[in-house]
Amino acid sequence: MGILEVKGVNKRFGGLQALGDVNLSIKENTVHAIIGPNGAGKSTLLNCLVGKLIPDSGSVMFDGQSVLGRKPHEINQMGISRVFQTPEIFTDLSVIENVMIPCFAKRDGAFRLHAVEAVASEKDIVEQAEQMLADVNMLDKRNMHAGSMSRGDKRRLEMAMCLVQNPKLLLLDEPTAGMARADTNNTIDLLKEIKEKRDITMAIIEHDMHVVFSLAERITVLAQGTPLVEETPENIKGHPKVREAYLGEAQV
Amino acid sequence: MLGLNKQDTTILLVVAALTIFAPFILNPFPVDSAMAQFNAGYPDLMQRFVIFGIFAIGFNILFGLTGYLSFGHAAFLGIGSYSAVWMFKLLSMNVIPAIILAVIMSGLFAVVIGYVSLRRSGIYFSILTLAFAMMMFALAYSVLTPITGGETGLQLALDDPRILGISATPEGNIPTPSLFGVEMRASTTVPVGAWEFTFNFGYYFCALIMLVAFYLSVRIFRSPFGLTLRAIKSNQQRLNYTGVNPKPYTLAAFVISGMYAGLAGALMASMDPLAGAERMFWTQSGEVVLMTILGGVGTLFGPVLGAGMIKYMENIISKINSDILHSWFAFLPDGLEDLIVAIIYPFIGKGWHLTLGLIFMLVVIFLPGGLVEGGQRVRSWMKNRGKSKEETSQTPAE
């Protein structure tokens, strides 16, 4: 049994079958990549996991509980954090405030009317957030306006915001899309470092094969809404079905 | 002090000093001088400064922190006033029960209106709140006449029961609102040389409540709750995926700011015990939006400043008429005098809205952070100028 079990998931948008009978099992403490050509249903699948979309049929079990019908914030409270394709951070807040919000969410739950104590007097939370910033080498940017940072730093901050909650599963939606090679390599290093430091399960949706083969322990190839193969990176490279999905039926 | 950091304590002390010494600050000109009409230190206007200050402070908790622009906050002002006047009619002329009932009633209405309106955000939220407020205005104006007094408004009468007080004074008048026997209209006028300063009990009562309201808003701004509200304004999507449910947070902010508006409405009724439906009209809702933006959205001090500024212009500039203008420019040759008066005339008297509109446009275009941003810019400019002076004075010494 994996930490995330997707069974027989279907999703239709009008006449388009976006996902057709998807089965996927992600094992605890692995880095699992989901790859596939454009329109293969990767993002639809991810949105079904985080509560943004509800599948027409099938089941999604996380840590023994169904996530279907739950709202995004409830799914996060179960232990799934998500990194977006373009970094989603609180651009109007300072860097440390960005990290403190997930700390409060983890401690206080989805809602708590906590309007008397000052944020600055919450020593535990401040310390926790500072420790996290130190872990991702951003402590020197503590009081910076988050919106004014470079894209690479925003990505780093977003990861910090997810990791500070100690999620059981971290979902990454094309974390290096649109990045320069150097930034991509930095992100790979950051993810490797995260993986070494803590027990965490990651699911990565990615186009960039360099990223996939540097990080993934298992790879699922999705094509036209259906998983083709699930294999280790070594076995994926020469797999005929994968070539077919990416390059068409012509012999290359 | 009081659980605030140094900077916030300073702001609180400045606001406290301004309100305590307002009778002096607002009356800088001798009574008989030509400038006396710019004196704003009379009780009626000073009361309005602080009452609208409370209204704007509360509005800023919703609009400044969460970014949800309510266009129907006057509804709560009206509910506050009606509740207070009913308390004066039924219970007693003491303002405390009136204020308590007003805050509770406006809070209850805010829960219902907020729950429905907050299902949408952005412009749709604004329209929903506007629709609610205008529905309530229409109801108060017509159908609910037995409760609201309809067109004439809700007024006190000699035969009101006032179970804990008296229906009429021994002289046969309607009693006036008071705090445990001290009348709100009680005033002392102190002449100092050519100047005259008026100290009014009602004003100081409202000012004290405004200081408490201001202090609470500072605490909210600095709390984890306030931080979450700012996160809602910044990126609601991220907040959702961070495990926070934004809905109860926005509803709580809406209710708190509705209660502030109810409090302001109750104080309005306490200063002048009548309530009319026009208090719920959309222009009143628009005014508090203007106050907050003019002063500085999301700043602590801005709304108070904006409220003071608009109320000052409404009461002072609107009083200038063409005779006064002529007397100011009497030293000019006749033709020129008429020309200048003709140019300025549209901006004064009933035309004060034009002046307000121009100032508002200038502020929004050049100072998006409101008058508070203007103040900060002037301060940093002075600092830099001081620095560069030092540098230039040091250069020859090297």
PDB file of all heavy atoms in Angstrom, chain A residues 29-54:
ATOM      1  N   ASN A  29       8.002   7.894   1.172  1.00  0.00           N
ATOM      2  CA  ASN A  29       9.425   8.246   1.096  1.00  0.00           C
ATOM      3  C   ASN A  29      10.065   8.018  -0.266  1.00  0.00           C
ATOM      4  O   ASN A  29      11.251   7.732  -0.343  1.00  0.00           O
ATOM      5  CB  ASN A  29      10.231   7.496   2.151  1.00  0.00           C
ATOM      6  CG  ASN A  29       9.969   8.040   3.532  1.00  0.00           C
ATOM      7  OD1 ASN A  29       9.692   9.237   3.676  1.00  0.00           O
ATOM      8  ND2 ASN A  29      10.033   7.182   4.513  1.00  0.00           N
ATOM      9  N   THR A  30       9.288   8.125  -1.321  1.00  0.00           N
ATOM     10  CA  THR A  30       9.892   8.057  -2.646  1.00  0.00           C
ATOM     11  C   THR A  30       9.647   9.361  -3.373  1.00  0.00           C
ATOM     12  O   THR A  30       8.801  10.153  -2.987  1.00  0.00           O
ATOM     13  CB  THR A  30       9.272   6.929  -3.504  1.00  0.00           C
ATOM     14  OG1 THR A  30       7.861   7.140  -3.556  1.00  0.00           O
ATOM     15  CG2 THR A  30       9.566   5.563  -2.947  1.00  0.00           C
ATOM     16  N   VAL A  31      10.440   9.567  -4.430  1.00  0.00           N
ATOM     17  CA  VAL A  31      10.160  10.686  -5.321  1.00  0.00           C
ATOM     18  C   VAL A  31       9.558  10.083  -6.578  1.00  0.00           C
ATOM     19  O   VAL A  31      10.202   9.290  -7.268  1.00  0.00           O
ATOM     20  CB  VAL A  31      11.437  11.471  -5.667  1.00  0.00           C
ATOM     21  CG1 VAL A  31      11.107  12.609  -6.613  1.00  0.00           C
ATOM     22  CG2 VAL A  31      12.090  12.004  -4.401  1.00  0.00           C
ATOM     23  N   HIS A  32       8.316  10.411  -6.834  1.00  0.00           N
ATOM     24  CA  HIS A  32       7.577   9.797  -7.924  1.00  0.00           C
ATOM     25  C   HIS A  32       7.280  10.861  -8.976  1.00  0.00           C
ATOM     26  O   HIS A  32       6.649  11.873  -8.672  1.00  0.00           O
ATOM     27  CB  HIS A  32       6.269   9.216  -7.379  1.00  0.00           C
ATOM     28  CG  HIS A  32       5.621   8.245  -8.296  1.00  0.00           C
ATOM     29  ND1 HIS A  32       5.331   6.959  -7.922  1.00  0.00           N
ATOM     30  CD2 HIS A  32       5.220   8.353  -9.574  1.00  0.00           C
ATOM     31  CE1 HIS A  32       4.769   6.319  -8.930  1.00  0.00           C
ATOM     32  NE2 HIS A  32       4.695   7.160  -9.956  1.00  0.00           N
ATOM     33  N   ALA A  33       7.761  10.660 -10.185  1.00  0.00           N
ATOM     34  CA  ALA A  33       7.513  11.640 -11.238  1.00  0.00           C
ATOM     35  C   ALA A  33       6.368  11.184 -12.119  1.00  0.00           C
ATOM     36  O   ALA A  33       6.224   9.991 -12.389  1.00  0.00           O
ATOM     37  CB  ALA A  33       8.759  11.857 -12.065  1.00  0.00           C
ATOM     38  N   ILE A  34       5.554  12.134 -12.546  1.00  0.00           N
ATOM     39  CA  ILE A  34       4.502  11.840 -13.516  1.00  0.00           C
ATOM     40  C   ILE A  34       4.819  12.648 -14.758  1.00  0.00           C
ATOM     41  O   ILE A  34       4.847  13.877 -14.703  1.00  0.00           O
ATOM     42  CB  ILE A  34       3.112  12.219 -12.945  1.00  0.00           C
ATOM     43  CG1 ILE A  34       2.827  11.397 -11.684  1.00  0.00           C
ATOM     44  CG2 ILE A  34       2.039  11.997 -13.989  1.00  0.00           C
ATOM     45  CD1 ILE A  34       1.734  11.950 -10.824  1.00  0.00           C
ATOM     46  N   ILE A  35       5.111  11.964 -15.837  1.00  0.00           N
ATOM     47  CA  ILE A  35       5.462  12.677 -17.065  1.00  0.00           C
ATOM     48  C   ILE A  35       4.478  12.310 -18.162  1.00  0.00           C
ATOM     49  O   ILE A  35       3.667  11.396 -18.017  1.00  0.00           O
ATOM     50  CB  ILE A  35       6.909  12.376 -17.528  1.00  0.00           C
ATOM     51  CG1 ILE A  35       7.057  10.882 -17.848  1.00  0.00           C
ATOM     52  CG2 ILE A  35       7.906  12.782 -16.472  1.00  0.00           C
ATOM     53  CD1 ILE A  35       8.382  10.541 -18.500  1.00  0.00           C
ATOM     54  N   GLY A  36       4.549  13.046 -19.235  1.00  0.00           N
ATOM     55  CA  GLY A  36       3.651  12.773 -20.346  1.00  0.00           C
ATOM     56  C   GLY A  36       3.605  13.979 -21.254  1.00  0.00           C
ATOM     57  O   GLY A  36       3.915  15.086 -20.823  1.00  0.00           O
ATOM     58  N   PRO A  37       3.228  13.764 -22.511  1.00  0.00           N
ATOM     59  CA  PRO A  37       3.163  14.885 -23.443  1.00  0.00           C
ATOM     60  C   PRO A  37       2.063  15.878 -23.042  1.00  0.00           C
ATOM     61  O   PRO A  37       1.250  15.589 -22.181  1.00  0.00           O
ATOM     62  CB  PRO A  37       2.836  14.224 -24.786  1.00  0.00           C
ATOM     63  CG  PRO A  37       2.314  12.882 -24.468  1.00  0.00           C
ATOM     64  CD  PRO A  37       2.851  12.490 -23.138  1.00  0.00           C
ATOM     65  N   ASN A  38       2.049  17.032 -23.701  1.00  0.00           N
ATOM     66  CA  ASN A  38       1.016  18.032 -23.426  1.00  0.00           C
ATOM     67  C   ASN A  38      -0.371  17.434 -23.580  1.00  0.00           C
ATOM     68  O   ASN A  38      -0.620  16.676 -24.505  1.00  0.00           O
ATOM     69  CB  ASN A  38       1.141  19.207 -24.397  1.00  0.00           C
ATOM     70  CG  ASN A  38       2.274  20.111 -23.988  1.00  0.00           C
ATOM     71  OD1 ASN A  38       2.582  20.222 -22.810  1.00  0.00           O
ATOM     72  ND2 ASN A  38       2.915  20.727 -24.963  1.00  0.00           N
ATOM     73  N   GLY A  39      -1.270  17.789 -22.669  1.00  0.00           N
ATOM     74  CA  GLY A  39      -2.640  17.310 -22.773  1.00  0.00           C
ATOM     75  C   GLY A  39      -2.809  15.880 -22.314  1.00  0.00           C
ATOM     76  O   GLY A  39      -3.851  15.274 -22.542  1.00  0.00           O
ATOM     77  N   ALA A  40      -1.797  15.336 -21.640  1.00  0.00           N
ATOM     78  CA  ALA A  40      -1.895  13.943 -21.204  1.00  0.00           C
ATOM     79  C   ALA A  40      -2.782  13.798 -19.970  1.00  0.00           C
ATOM     80  O   ALA A  40      -3.180  12.707 -19.614  1.00  0.00           O
ATOM     81  CB  ALA A  40      -0.499  13.393 -20.914  1.00  0.00           C
ATOM     82  N   GLY A  41      -3.086  14.941 -19.308  1.00  0.00           N
ATOM     83  CA  GLY A  41      -3.940  14.880 -18.116  1.00  0.00           C
ATOM     84  C   GLY A  41      -3.174  14.985 -16.812  1.00  0.00           C
ATOM     85  O   GLY A  41      -3.731  14.713 -15.752  1.00  0.00           O
ATOM     86  N   LYS A  42      -1.914  15.403 -16.891  1.00  0.00           N
ATOM     87  CA  LYS A  42      -1.092  15.486 -15.677  1.00  0.00           C
ATOM     88  C   LYS A  42      -1.668  16.489 -14.680  1.00  0.00           C
ATOM     89  O   LYS A  42      -1.834  16.189 -13.500  1.00  0.00           O
ATOM     90  CB  LYS A  42       0.347  15.913 -16.029  1.00  0.00           C
ATOM     91  CG  LYS A  42       1.037  15.033 -17.045  1.00  0.00           C
ATOM     92  CD  LYS A  42       2.476  15.465 -17.236  1.00  0.00           C
ATOM     93  CE  LYS A  42       2.634  16.849 -17.831  1.00  0.00           C
ATOM     94  NZ  LYS A  42       2.257  16.961 -19.247  1.00  0.00           N
ATOM     95  N   SER A  43      -1.973  17.699 -15.182  1.00  0.00           N
ATOM     96  CA  SER A  43      -2.474  18.736 -14.273  1.00  0.00           C
ATOM     97  C   SER A  43      -3.868  18.399 -13.771  1.00  0.00           C
ATOM     98  O   SER A  43      -4.200  18.663 -12.617  1.00  0.00           O
ATOM     99  CB  SER A  43      -2.498  20.084 -14.977  1.00  0.00           C
ATOM    100  OG  SER A  43      -1.182  20.458 -15.285  1.00  0.00           O
ATOM    101  N   THR A  44      -4.690  17.792 -14.634  1.00  0.00           N
ATOM    102  CA  THR A  44      -6.028  17.374 -14.197  1.00  0.00           C
ATOM    103  C   THR A  44      -5.903  16.384 -13.049  1.00  0.00           C
ATOM    104  O   THR A  44      -6.611  16.495 -12.038  1.00  0.00           O
ATOM    105  CB  THR A  44      -6.782  16.724 -15.367  1.00  0.00           C
ATOM    106  OG1 THR A  44      -6.711  17.595 -16.490  1.00  0.00           O
ATOM    107  CG2 THR A  44      -8.224  16.464 -15.013  1.00  0.00           C
ATOM    108  N   LEU A  45      -4.975  15.458 -13.191  1.00  0.00           N
ATOM    109  CA  LEU A  45      -4.773  14.462 -12.142  1.00  0.00           C
ATOM    110  C   LEU A  45      -4.374  15.144 -10.844  1.00  0.00           C
ATOM    111  O   LEU A  45      -4.932  14.870  -9.773  1.00  0.00           O
ATOM    112  CB  LEU A  45      -3.696  13.460 -12.583  1.00  0.00           C
ATOM    113  CG  LEU A  45      -3.321  12.392 -11.558  1.00  0.00           C
ATOM    114  CD1 LEU A  45      -4.533  11.537 -11.214  1.00  0.00           C
ATOM    115  CD2 LEU A  45      -2.191  11.508 -12.071  1.00  0.00           C
ATOM    116  N   LEU A  46      -3.423  16.079 -10.951  1.00  0.00           N
ATOM    117  CA  LEU A  46      -2.958  16.774  -9.751  1.00  0.00           C
ATOM    118  C   LEU A  46      -4.100  17.535  -9.090  1.00  0.00           C
ATOM    119  O   LEU A  46      -4.259  17.508  -7.873  1.00  0.00           O
ATOM    120  CB  LEU A  46      -1.817  17.730 -10.120  1.00  0.00           C
ATOM    121  CG  LEU A  46      -1.165  18.364  -8.902  1.00  0.00           C
ATOM    122  CD1 LEU A  46       0.253  17.856  -8.738  1.00  0.00           C
ATOM    123  CD2 LEU A  46      -1.169  19.865  -8.985  1.00  0.00           C
ATOM    124  N   ASN A  47      -4.914  18.203  -9.932  1.00  0.00           N
ATOM    125  CA  ASN A  47      -6.035  18.966  -9.374  1.00  0.00           C
ATOM    126  C   ASN A  47      -7.061  18.068  -8.697  1.00  0.00           C
ATOM    127  O   ASN A  47      -7.764  18.504  -7.791  1.00  0.00           O
ATOM    128  CB  ASN A  47      -6.703  19.803 -10.472  1.00  0.00           C
ATOM    129  CG  ASN A  47      -5.876  21.035 -10.812  1.00  0.00           C
ATOM    130  OD1 ASN A  47      -5.141  21.535  -9.965  1.00  0.00           O
ATOM    131  ND2 ASN A  47      -5.979  21.496 -12.040  1.00  0.00           N
ATOM    132  N   CYS A  48      -7.146  16.799  -9.144  1.00  0.00           N
ATOM    133  CA  CYS A  48      -8.042  15.856  -8.466  1.00  0.00           C
ATOM    134  C   CYS A  48      -7.485  15.449  -7.104  1.00  0.00           C
ATOM    135  O   CYS A  48      -8.230  15.086  -6.204  1.00  0.00           O
ATOM    136  CB  CYS A  48      -8.252  14.604  -9.313  1.00  0.00           C
ATOM    137  SG  CYS A  48      -9.271  14.902 -10.757  1.00  0.00           S
ATOM    138  N   LEU A  49      -6.166  15.510  -6.956  1.00  0.00           N
ATOM    139  CA  LEU A  49      -5.551  15.098  -5.692  1.00  0.00           C
ATOM    140  C   LEU A  49      -5.684  16.177  -4.628  1.00  0.00           C
ATOM    141  O   LEU A  49      -5.719  15.886  -3.440  1.00  0.00           O
ATOM    142  CB  LEU A  49      -4.061  14.787  -5.881  1.00  0.00           C
ATOM    143  CG  LEU A  49      -3.704  13.763  -6.949  1.00  0.00           C
ATOM    144  CD1 LEU A  49      -2.199  13.517  -6.959  1.00  0.00           C
ATOM    145  CD2 LEU A  49      -4.446  12.459  -6.707  1.00  0.00           C
ATOM    146  N   VAL A  50      -5.721  17.459  -5.033  1.00  0.00           N
ATOM    147  CA  VAL A  50      -5.707  18.538  -4.045  1.00  0.00           C
ATOM    148  C   VAL A  50      -7.084  19.149  -3.796  1.00  0.00           C
ATOM    149  O   VAL A  50      -7.209  20.107  -3.059  1.00  0.00           O
ATOM    150  CB  VAL A  50      -4.738  19.666  -4.450  1.00  0.00           C
ATOM    151  CG1 VAL A  50      -3.311  19.172  -4.432  1.00  0.00           C
ATOM    152  CG2 VAL A  50      -5.102  20.251  -5.803  1.00  0.00           C
ATOM    153  N   GLY A  51      -8.127  18.607  -4.434  1.00  0.00           N
ATOM    154  CA  GLY A  51      -9.466  19.092  -4.127  1.00  0.00           C
ATOM    155  C   GLY A  51      -9.956  20.197  -5.028  1.00  0.00           C
ATOM    156  O   GLY A  51     -11.026  20.745  -4.809  1.00  0.00           O
ATOM    157  N   LYS A  52      -9.162  20.549  -6.049  1.00  0.00           N
ATOM    158  CA  LYS A  52      -9.620  21.607  -6.943  1.00  0.00           C
ATOM    159  C   LYS A  52     -10.658  21.060  -7.915  1.00  0.00           C
ATOM    160  O   LYS A  52     -11.593  21.756  -8.294  1.00  0.00           O
ATOM    161  CB  LYS A  52      -8.424  22.188  -7.707  1.00  0.00           C
ATOM    162  CG  LYS A  52      -8.738  23.515  -8.342  1.00  0.00           C
ATOM    163  CD  LYS A  52      -7.496  24.148  -8.915  1.00  0.00           C
ATOM    164  CE  LYS A  52      -7.832  25.520  -9.482  1.00  0.00           C
ATOM    165  NZ  LYS A  52      -6.664  26.117 -10.128  1.00  0.00           N
ATOM    166  N   LEU A  53     -10.462  19.802  -8.320  1.00  0.00           N
ATOM    167  CA  LEU A  53     -11.429  19.117  -9.177  1.00  0.00           C
ATOM    168  C   LEU A  53     -11.913  17.859  -8.453  1.00  0.00           C
ATOM    169  O   LEU A  53     -11.191  17.287  -7.645  1.00  0.00           O
ATOM    170  CB  LEU A  53     -10.774  18.698 -10.494  1.00  0.00           C
ATOM    171  CG  LEU A  53     -10.366  19.805 -11.473  1.00  0.00           C
ATOM    172  CD1 LEU A  53      -9.622  19.184 -12.646  1.00  0.00           C
ATOM    173  CD2 LEU A  53     -11.586  20.555 -11.963  1.00  0.00           C
ATOM    174  N   ILE A  54     -13.140  17.470  -8.760  1.00  0.00           N
ATOM    175  CA  ILE A  54     -13.644  16.216  -8.194  1.00  0.00           C
ATOM    176  C   ILE A  54     -13.817  15.227  -9.348  1.00  0.00           C
ATOM    177  O   ILE A  54     -14.500  15.534 -10.328  1.00  0.00           O
ATOM    178  CB  ILE A  54     -14.982  16.431  -7.464  1.00  0.00           C
ATOM    179  CG1 ILE A  54     -14.770  17.410  -6.300  1.00  0.00           C
ATOM    180  CG2 ILE A  54     -15.523  15.104  -6.943  1.00  0.00           C
ATOM    181  CD1 ILE A  54     -16.040  17.839  -5.611  1.00  0.00           C
TER     182      ILE A  54
END
